[in-house]
Amino acid sequence: QAQPVESGGGLVQAGGSLRLSCAGPERTHRMDRVGWIRQAPGRDREFVAGMALSGGSGYYADSVKGRFTISRDMDTNMVYLQMTLLKPEDTARYYCGTTFGTLVGAKNWKTYTFRGQGTQVTVSS
């Protein structure tokens, strides 16, 4: 079974940009969506961005809409999260996961299956 691995996190100043990478999410007979979920210290996980593994437009949490972009490279089987205009409140550990089913369900982090350890993003003010 494919195990997504996240990378690309780091320390950046507010207003800066980072690109996160997720290696290996494969569409299976069950999982057909991929997404990024984050967890800040002391807080529950929250959905950030997602898309269908077959391609198409992404969908986003209101807090990141217009600043983050999810994309997928079919040739290399990589999923990316381009983050711009970063804010201190974006500080969190970011995880890549897969899910299936409806768009409503895909915006609920609890429907996701995770395989990696996440990558830390820290935004300084």
Side-chain angles (χ1 to χ4, degrees):
Q1 188 172 2
Q3 296 192 7
V5 176
E6 307 92 345
S7 62
L11 174 63
V12 64
Q13 288 188 331
S17 300
L18 281 174
R19 189 179 78 158
L20 306 184
S21 300
C22 172
E26 294 182 0
R27 185 178 183 182
T28 68
H29 71 281
R30 181 169 174 79
M31 299 298 184
D32 61 0
R33 295 179 184 269
V34 63
W36 289 94
I37 279 75
R38 67 186 181 187
Q39 185 168 24
R43 300 185 65 177
D44 208 353
R45 292 191 177 188
E46 64 172 342
F47 168 81
V48 176
M51 67 179 296
L53 283 168
S54 58
S57 300
Y59 36 90
Y60 304 89
D62 289 342
S63 59
V64 306
K65 201 171 293 183
R67 300 189 297 122
F68 291 11
T69 303
I70 188 172
S71 62
R72 188 181 185 207
D73 186 324
M74 299 291 190
D75 292 334
T76 60
N77 197 24
M78 296 286 291
V79 174
Y80 301 101
L81 184 67
Q82 180 68 49
M83 306 186 296
T84 63
L85 300 174
L86 282 162
K87 304 175 181 180
E89 50 263 45
D90 295 318
T91 295
R93 193 158 193 87
Y94 285 70
Y95 300 86
C96 174
T98 52
T99 186
F100 66 99
T102 66
L103 179 59
V104 171
K107 292 183 177 180
N108 181 350
W109 70 265
K110 295 181 180 180
T111 68
Y112 282 79
T113 297
F114 303 98
R115 294 291 181 265
Q117 301 301 311
T119 185
Q120 178 67 35
V121 172
T122 303
V123 184
S124 62
S125 57

